[in-house]
Amino acid sequence: MPKIPKLLAIDTSCDDTSASVTTGRVVLSNVIASQTQLHKQYGGVFPTVAKEAHRVNIEPSVRMALQRAQTNWDEIDAIAVTIGPGLAPALEVGLRYAETIAKQHQKKLITINHIEAHALSALAQPKSRSLPLAAQLADIEQMQLPALPALAVVISGGHSEFILVKQIGTYEIIGQTIDDAAGECLDKIGRALNLGYPAGPLLEKFAKKGHLGRFELPMAMQGQTTFDLSFSGLKTAARALITKLEAAQHLDAQATYDLAAEVQAAVFGQIIYKLERILLSPDLAQKTYPSRHYLKHLTADTMPQTPIRSIWLGGGVAANRELRRQLRALLNRHAKKTGQQLKLLVPYTNKLCADNAAMIGVTAFYKWQQGLFSTTDILERQPNLKIANSHP
Ligand code: KG4
Ligand code: ZN
């Protein structure tokens, strides 16, 4: 069996400092030093504050990641680090640190695209409680990749993308937000409601107590014939509604809950709407958008079979249970219609949804297998890196 390396991974792309030790797809430690409390007062991420906090937190995070994985530098085979996309000053801290420790401990460097890592985060596996690590890594069934192509659905504070995973390392974005990301939309609406930052988790909690039907919010992009998404119109409409309710002194607790439910329904409804059409596309290779007429007249005989084998959910918003419930419901509907049962893979813990270094380590394992090491000692940050060119 080829060697399965042990990797030390680092992510400082945004507002969390994270370090992790992984081997293959197995996560041995995943330390996240959250800066949420620091940024709360600004209602968003403040780059210079993030940079300073990364500087302070990175060394102890790495030390703790090694400790929790019960390992040391001698056993580490390479260092993986996020090179982009992300906040330039924040990325910088992780890259400089990775360079330094790579030199100090004479390790190879692997640079990772943060979005690719979110896309692959559902592949990460926890360390088995019953099997010794070597036996777990040798278990082909556990370690095998799901059938490809897959569709990675990355929904975070910075990104909302449908990514066709043809092979690990070969991707095609088939739809993405044309303005705000879904998480950004949730956070901005949450800010208007004074929910603090980030608002996604609180909106999820409130939405459970809310009822649909009291307020009307727009569902964007239904008239478009692409798989793209848009959330800025929804944000504007929700903010206007909040201002109106506040002026009339009608924004009581129940109104906030109802609004949260409506906002979630609009955000997730749009994602589900587009995903359903991706799965029923008559020719996904051409990104052909199914027309209303085509969908209306589909019969058992003309029902298309999607090449997509499974859906991989990732990104901060992927932690949301209502989104997962709606995705499972969609896949059940799809199975009834087409006979194709697609599997939904979700990260095994919420820690893997938000920004974390374990997903960087898991992605780096595939780069290791492909021999994709950094050829330079000086890593240049790529704040606007796209997934299509994911071999930085
Ligand atoms: O992936 P992530 O940690 O950072 C980016 O790379 O963007 O995503 C953070 C986003 C925030 O917008 C946050 O509000 C959202 O994920 N989020 C959630 C939930 N937990 C985090 N949104 C909805 N429901 C949640 N439970
Ligand atoms: Zn992220």
Side-chain angles (χ1 to χ4, degrees):
M1 206 172 80
K3 177 182 166 73
I4 300 182
K6 205 178 256 188
L7 305 176
L8 184 279
I10 292 169
D11 182 87
T12 61
S13 59
C14 190
D15 59 339
D16 290 320
T17 316
S18 184
S20 159
V21 177
T22 55
T23 179
R25 284 161 65 179
V26 179
V27 178
L28 302 178
S29 66
N30 191 14
V31 175
I32 302 172
S34 169
Q35 300 177 11
T36 304
Q37 292 307 322
L38 289 178
H39 297 287
K40 246 189 178 131
Q41 55 186 312
Y42 306 108
V45 180
F46 203 82
T48 46
V49 173
K51 181 175 181 169
E52 195 44 41
H54 284 310
R55 272 209 191 122
V56 172
N57 290 336
I58 189 134
E59 216 263 346
S61 299
V62 167
R63 203 174 340 116
M64 202 182 285
L66 291 168
Q67 226 170 49
R68 287 196 186 160
Q70 297 179 328
T71 190
N72 56 51
W73 282 112
D74 291 341
E75 292 182 358
I76 297 294
D77 294 296
I79 295 165
V81 60
T82 301
I83 196 159
L87 286 176
L91 290 166
E92 191 74 26
V93 179
L95 291 170
R96 292 295 83 81
Y97 187 78
E99 282 168 9
T100 308
I101 50 174
K103 205 165 171 193
Q104 188 181 343
H105 299 284
Q106 303 201 327
K107 307 289 177 192
K108 287 183 180 172
L109 282 164
I110 304 175
T111 53
I112 297 296
N113 178 322
H114 181 83
I115 300 306
E116 182 178 12
H118 272 307
L120 305 191
S121 60
L123 297 179
Q125 302 206 348
K127 189 164 171 266
S128 165
R129 285 174 196 267
S130 53
L131 282 178
L133 183 58
Q136 186 182 5
L137 292 173
D139 183 339
I140 301 294
E141 214 136 278
Q142 266 202 50
M143 292 304 137
Q144 218 168 28
L145 265 182
L148 298 173
L151 185 75
V153 180
V154 176
I155 313 286
S156 74
H159 296 266
S160 299
E161 293 171 8
F162 296 117
I163 302 161
L164 194 61
V165 182
K166 296 173 179 174
Q167 295 293 329
I168 303 284
T170 311
Y171 307 102
E172 188 186 356
I173 297 178
I174 56 175
Q176 62 187 317
T177 182
I178 57 165
D179 39 54
D180 293 352
E184 182 184 359
C185 168
L186 293 173
D187 290 342
K188 285 182 175 163
I189 294 172
R191 192 173 174 184
L193 287 167
N194 283 322
L195 299 186
Y197 172 85
L202 208 53
L203 280 174
E204 174 173 20
K205 215 162 131 190
F206 284 178
K208 284 190 192 130
K209 299 188 209 165
H211 304 290
L212 291 172
R214 178 166 166 196
F215 303 117
E216 211 170 300
L217 289 171
M219 175 91 87
M221 303 302 276
Q222 293 196 356
Q224 307 285 325
T225 56
T226 67
F227 300 119
D228 287 338
L229 302 159
S230 162
F231 297 105
S232 109
L234 167 63
K235 172 192 67 186
T236 308
R239 276 177 173 167
L241 181 57
I242 291 163
T243 308
K244 204 170 107 191
L245 288 168
E246 265 172 346
Q249 296 192 333
H250 284 160
L251 195 60
D252 56 12
Q254 192 56 49
T256 308
Y257 301 154
D258 294 345
L259 194 66
E262 212 68 65
V263 166
Q264 272 203 177
V267 171
F268 300 160
Q270 194 189 143
I271 294 166
I272 299 289
Y273 182 93
K274 289 291 162 131
L275 186 52
E276 184 162 17
R277 275 145 190 82
I278 288 173
L279 298 179
L280 290 175
S281 168
D283 186 354
L284 197 55
Q286 297 299 324
K287 290 197 239 174
T288 309
Y289 193 87
S291 67
R292 267 172 222 268
H293 178 82
Y294 162 85
L295 289 174
K296 214 167 129 193
H297 293 97
L298 279 179
T299 64
D301 293 335
T302 56
M303 197 61 74
Q305 295 280 299
T306 181
I308 293 165
R309 309 258 64 91
S310 55
I311 310 283
W312 304 353
L313 188 61
V317 185
N320 191 291
R321 303 287 140 170
E322 175 58 18
L323 173 62
R324 293 180 183 194
R325 190 192 64 74
Q326 291 193 22
L327 284 169
R328 288 202 181 91
L330 167 65
L331 296 188
N332 286 338
R333 280 201 305 277
H334 185 79
K336 278 210 187 96
K337 250 189 255 167
T338 65
Q340 279 185 300
Q341 184 73 61
L342 309 183
K343 222 172 141 185
L344 178 68
L345 268 64
V346 296
Y348 74 80
T349 154
N350 280 356
K351 258 177 104 174
L352 275 158
C353 296
D355 289 345
N356 69 92
M359 66 180 189
I360 304 300
V362 170
T363 307
F365 166 55
Y366 295 103
K367 304 295 162 200
W368 167 288
Q369 282 188 324
Q370 294 166 13
L372 294 170
F373 300 100
S374 174
T375 48
T376 156
D377 296 341
I378 299 160
L379 308 175
E380 214 163 301
R381 67 195 188 193
Q382 299 186 33
N384 301 314
L385 186 65
K386 301 279 180 275
I387 192 159
N389 48 10
S390 61
H391 297 316

